[in-house]
Amino acid sequence: MAGPQKLDLKKDLKALYTARSMAVVVDVPRLSFLMLDGAGDPNTSAEYAAAIGALYSVAYTLKFTIKKSPHPVDYAVMPLEGLWWARDMTAFTGASKDRWQWTTMILQPDLVTGELFETARAEAARKKPNHALALLRFESFAEGRSAQLMHLGPYAAETENIRKLHAFIAEQGGTLAGKHHEIYLSDPRRSAPEKLKTIIRQPFVT
């Protein structure tokens, strides 16, 4: 008996989920995500921790639901991503993270529908109640023209690479547009801080 069809989202979207230390321009199409909004310091916020739990709970429920469906497809759950901003951008670029706004999210394959999402959310809530599940949504998101690079090291040391990325955008004759975007390719629970890999992305217009 044949096994499930394999789907490799990282390979299919290689330009968006790999990067080097040198900044490049990418065109990001409309993609579908599990998304959840919040505010506060991600290092200390119970709200942020609950949001991450809700995201992964539903992401894995969807994966296994699709794998066991009449037309099974198997795929790896994609990396955690985050959009970051502040109403007062001095709070974002300064030391305080308490006033940060964020959207945390995980990319979903085209196989996921609104109906599948609602079923998976209900199943996740039944298995492990989490108040953040009620805030979770399934939504498409289009970033368009963006610049990105790879940051290697702890999250707290990103400032230099963020400046490098913004300088690259200025060299292209661009103006920052949209929100600061990070894609976390490493699990901080399993990787040393100096080995963490994070794609830093910034949309822009010319």
Side-chain angles (χ1 to χ4, degrees), residues 81-142:
E81 306 185 35
L83 305 178
W84 302 92
W85 73 100
R87 291 189 178 92
D88 173 6
M89 284 307 291
T90 60
F92 182 71
T93 56
S96 174
K97 298 179 181 179
D98 293 337
R99 288 175 287 168
W100 280 14
Q101 308 287 310
W102 43 260
T103 298
T104 188
M105 56 198 202
I106 297 177
L107 177 73
Q108 298 302 295
D110 292 339
L111 297 163
V112 175
T113 63
E115 183 179 0
L116 271 177
F117 162 69
E118 292 296 350
T119 300
R121 178 164 62 172
E123 177 66 10
R126 184 185 67 80
K127 289 182 175 179
K128 188 175 182 180
N130 179 344
H131 71 276
L133 286 166
L135 304 174
L136 191 64
R137 67 185 188 278
F138 175 60
E139 188 173 288
S140 65
F141 174 61

Side-chain angles (χ1 to χ4, degrees), residues 126-188:
R126 184 185 67 80
K127 289 182 175 179
K128 188 175 182 180
N130 179 344
H131 71 276
L133 286 166
L135 304 174
L136 191 64
R137 67 185 188 278
F138 175 60
E139 188 173 288
S140 65
F141 174 61
E143 259 178 322
R145 196 164 181 78
S146 304
Q148 68 181 32
L149 54 70
M150 179 71 77
H151 169 71
L152 182 62
Y155 306 132
E158 289 179 353
T159 303
E160 182 178 346
N161 272 324
I162 294 172
R163 288 173 179 161
K164 179 179 176 181
L165 189 64
H166 291 182
F168 172 79
I169 290 171
E171 289 167 5
Q172 312 306 305
T175 302
L176 305 188
K179 295 164 182 173
H180 175 84
H181 187 167
E182 297 185 359
I183 301 171
Y184 307 106
L185 301 180
S186 305
D187 184 341

